[in-house]
Amino acid sequence: MTGPSATEADEKPGFLDRMRARMPWFDHVMRAQERYASSKGDFYAAGITYFTIFALFPLLMVGFAVGGFVLASRPELIVEIEEQIRANVSGDLGQQLIELMESAIESRATVGIIGLATAAWAGLGWMNNLREALSQMWGLYRDELPGFVKKKLSDLLALVSLFLASVLTLALTALGNTTVIQDILMWFGFPDSTALSVLLRVASIAISILVSWLLFTYVIARLPRESVSLRSSMRAGLIAAVGFEIFKLVASIYLKSVLTGPAGATFGPVLGLMVFAYITARLVLFSTAWAATLPENMGEEPVPAPGPAVINNRIIHRPGLRPWQAAAAVAAGAAGALSLSRWRQR
């Protein structure tokens, strides 16, 4: 009895293939991973992270400018801050800090304008990268690209709408804070207890997931450059929201253990922000790839039209026999015929 041939062994499905055939949900996850990898999801996530970190510096400039305008409108507050500086920092260093603060207040308009312009530029780059990434995850191929001005205006509108949606979700998140809910219940006369604390914690997590679900659904459904399925986006947004809540829980535990040391206190916030932005971007993009690979969204990918046919005429010149070749052929034929006739006469 012979064993299986090499061809049969090669055609035998592997472990992952058998798992995909046995479990449809696992096959869907693998399809989403394949879409994420083929669409360069890690590349886009890194780009989103870069623009996220880059946009922080102009936003800080805008924050300093706003602080300068506030201090300029309240001279008594400036005097109080200067007194605090003189009381806590003596000598020339204290005077230098006061002069630095006064210089920052005087240049608040310039700093604010530069910060706003740089923040707008970085924000448009961030939005363009995010929208292109989402479109790639959905498998949206565009034959005609929009003009530069039209594209930037569209990105600006999307950036403003996302900012408003983020502000709304942050407000809802603040309302879902455990302390806020507890104060509201205490105001209504509910007594504090262990059971109430547990219920408040569960309610806070549920509200946080709900708010994240709304925000991620908006990002996945409305930010791609082409219209996509809202129903699929809602399912993907829920997956992203649950994953985001788990990630926040794990990150909070990890940061508490890391920020205790001097190195962690120095570099931890920046590194933590980079990791937070990168993981969040990957989570959103993978959820989008998951939505795009649902059976109802798995349409046939467009096949590019073939190029124009090119017909080349080839002329092949085959020269005839030369005179000496013809004479040799005749002589050979005559010799053969003579030999054949003599053989028959015998």
Side-chain angles (χ1 to χ4, degrees), residues 260-344:
T260 54
T266 304
F267 303 103
V270 177
L271 294 178
L273 182 61
M274 292 177 62
V275 173
F276 179 82
Y278 182 69
I279 297 299
T280 304
R282 289 196 60 175
L283 181 62
V284 172
L285 295 183
F286 182 82
S287 300
T288 306
W290 184 90
T293 51
L294 285 169
E296 59 265 26
N297 298 323
M298 290 291 290
E300 296 183 359
E301 295 186 357
V303 179
V310 179
I311 301 176
N312 295 324
N313 296 324
R314 294 193 306 168
I315 301 176
I316 301 176
H317 177 67
R318 295 180 178 177
L321 296 176
R322 296 181 180 180
W324 65 270
Q325 293 176 338
V330 171
L338 182 60
S339 300
L340 181 60
S341 62
R342 289 182 178 180
W343 180 76
R344 287 182 176 179

Side-chain angles (χ1 to χ4, degrees), residues 155-174:
D155 290 343
L156 180 61
L157 180 61
L159 183 63
V160 173
S161 63
L162 180 60
F163 174 76
L164 295 177
S166 301
V167 171
L168 178 60
T169 53
L170 287 176
L172 294 175
T173 303

Side-chain angles (χ1 to χ4, degrees), residues 11 17 29 33 62 69 136 180 219 234 241 249 262 314 325:
E11 294 178 353
D17 295 331
V29 172
Q33 174 59 32
V62 174
F69 279 104
Q136 287 292 327
V180 176
V219 170
M234 292 179 65
L249 179 62
R314 294 193 306 168
Q325 293 176 338

Side-chain angles (χ1 to χ4, degrees), residues 173 208-209 212 241 243-253 276:
T173 303
S208 180
I209 292 177
S212 300
F244 184 67
E245 193 65 28
I246 296 174
F247 169 63
K248 286 195 302 182
L249 179 62
V250 175
S252 62
I253 297 174
F276 179 82

Side-chain angles (χ1 to χ4, degrees), residues 209-277:
I209 292 177
L210 176 61
V211 171
S212 300
W213 182 23
L214 295 175
L215 181 60
F216 288 140
T217 299
Y218 176 81
V219 170
I220 295 173
R222 292 293 176 255
L223 292 188
R225 299 195 181 276
E226 301 290 342
S227 59
V228 296
S229 171
L230 178 60
R231 181 171 176 270
S232 301
S233 301
M234 292 179 65
R235 297 168 64 182
L238 181 59
I239 294 175
V242 174
F244 184 67
E245 193 65 28
I246 296 174
F247 169 63
K248 286 195 302 182
L249 179 62
V250 175
S252 62
I253 297 174
Y254 177 74
L255 288 177
K256 287 180 181 178
S257 61
V258 170
L259 296 179
T260 54
T266 304
F267 303 103
V270 177
L271 294 178
L273 182 61
M274 292 177 62
V275 173
F276 179 82

Side-chain angles (χ1 to χ4, degrees), residues 12 35 103 140 276:
K12 184 179 180 180
R35 171 66 66 87
S103 175
L140 302 176
F276 179 82

Side-chain angles (χ1 to χ4, degrees), residues 86 104 126 179 249 344:
R86 291 191 181 96
W126 180 83
T179 305
L249 179 62
R344 287 182 176 179

